[in-house]
Amino acid sequence: MDADILAHVAEADEVWHAGDIGPGSILEQLAARKPLRAVWGNIDDTRLRREVPEDFLFEIEGLKVYMTHIGGYPGRYSPHARKVLDANGAAQLFVCGHSHILKVMPDRKRKLLHMNPGACGIYGFHKVRTMLRFEVNAGKVERLEAIELGLRGRATPA
């Protein structure tokens, strides 16, 4: 955990974590500060996999959200994500992680917005640590911002 991440958390109403959490203390630190919605990622241990789901489907402010870690991208979704999207339909926002590449793009076929916040941790193959901030108002994503936290491997101690 790093001070820059916590500064952005302090400004949020909620925190959503798209997996690859790492130590369980990360979840504890986030949940102690704000309501937390999280899914586990491929690096997460069995303890975390018992604490948070693989898939999280929820509605907030009239927006239907699906969050999972390994999701892929529009036209190239993972088989698991495609199965969940097909079974549950009508997701308007799909949030996933895994690639460590920040990417936001529409899926015109499914009529949803796809978001991958990249990676804000100090480990991994990404070069720049990133996260997303946005508002949900009346079923719409608004004021979307990509946040750069500096180079991977460098963090401001919390």
Side-chain angles (χ1 to χ4, degrees), residues 12-79:
D13 293 331
E14 289 188 2
V15 174
W16 299 357
H17 198 303
D20 280 357
I21 297 159
S25 62
I26 299 292
L27 276 185
E28 294 161 7
Q29 290 177 65
L30 293 172
R33 288 167 170 81
K34 297 291 174 165
L36 176 65
R37 300 177 195 254
V39 294
W40 57 258
N42 56 296
I43 71 155
D44 295 322
D45 64 20
T46 54
R47 178 185 152 235
L48 276 174
R49 290 177 189 217
R50 284 191 304 268
E51 291 182 22
V52 296
E54 177 180 12
D55 299 303
F56 202 156
L57 295 128
F58 60 96
E59 187 171 327
I60 183 167
E61 301 265 341
L63 182 74
K64 294 179 182 176
V65 180
Y66 169 44
M67 185 165 54
T68 196
H69 181 62
I70 299 175
Y73 294 99
R76 297 180 55 104
Y77 291 123
S78 71

Side-chain angles (χ1 to χ4, degrees), residues 72-98:
Y73 294 99
R76 297 180 55 104
Y77 291 123
S78 71
H80 176 77
R82 188 172 36 254
K83 181 180 175 183
V84 174
L85 284 166
D86 289 346
N88 294 284
Q92 297 157 293
L93 175 61
F94 178 37
V95 179
C96 66
H98 190 59

